[in-house]
Every structure is written in C-alpha cells, then in structure tokens.
Amino acid sequence: MRYDKDLHPVQQAMIDFHGSQCGFCTPGMITRAVKLLEENPNPTEKDVRFGIAGNICRCTGYQNIVKSILSAASEMNAAKEAAQ
C-alpha cells in the first residue's frame, strides 16, 4: 500500500508491515536500517537482527521491524535491477 512516493522504501515498509507501534524506537530503527542496507543490500534475518541490536523497542515489535527491513531490501534490490 503506497502512501507517498517520496518516502524511503524503509519508511514505507515500516508503514506496510506495522513496524512502528508507539514510535519510541522508529527514528533510530529507520536510520539504522537505511545504513544497514547500504552496507549489506541482501541481509538475512540474522543480519538484520544483529544490525538493529543497539536500538531498543519498548513495544517488542522486533518481528515486524525485521519484516519491514527485509521487505525494503527486496524492494530496493528489485528497483536497482529494473534500473539496469
């Protein structure tokens, strides 16, 4: 579900997969996810969990955050391939 074409894929995925609950951790999770995907465009679930380990989610929404990041990675890779 698209809300705004100007959102970064990680931001959109956080919306689509309900990766943000109370919002306490959201800014840190998004910024770390973007950096993680720059460093590793094809992360495994283990890579994502390790990559966000320093950010604490008060709602224990890690599962949906991980799904969001993996989805964003997939979308970003597909867009990169389509552009080539």
Side-chain angles (χ1 to χ4, degrees), residues 16-35:
D16 293 344
F17 290 88
H18 308 288
S20 178
Q21 291 181 34
C22 79
F24 179 80
C25 70
T26 304
M29 289 293 185
I30 290 174
T31 55
R32 182 59 193 125
V34 170
K35 183 66 175 170

Side-chain angles (χ1 to χ4, degrees), residues 1 4 8 14 17 20-21 23 28-29 31 33 40 42 47 59 67-70 72 74 78 81 83-84:
M1 173 182 284
D4 186 337
H8 188 279
M14 290 287 278
F17 290 88
S20 178
Q21 291 181 34
M29 289 293 185
T31 55
N40 180 358
N42 295 299
D47 295 334
C59 301
K67 286 179 187 177
S68 299
I69 296 169
L70 291 172
S74 178
E81 288 177 17
Q84 292 178 349

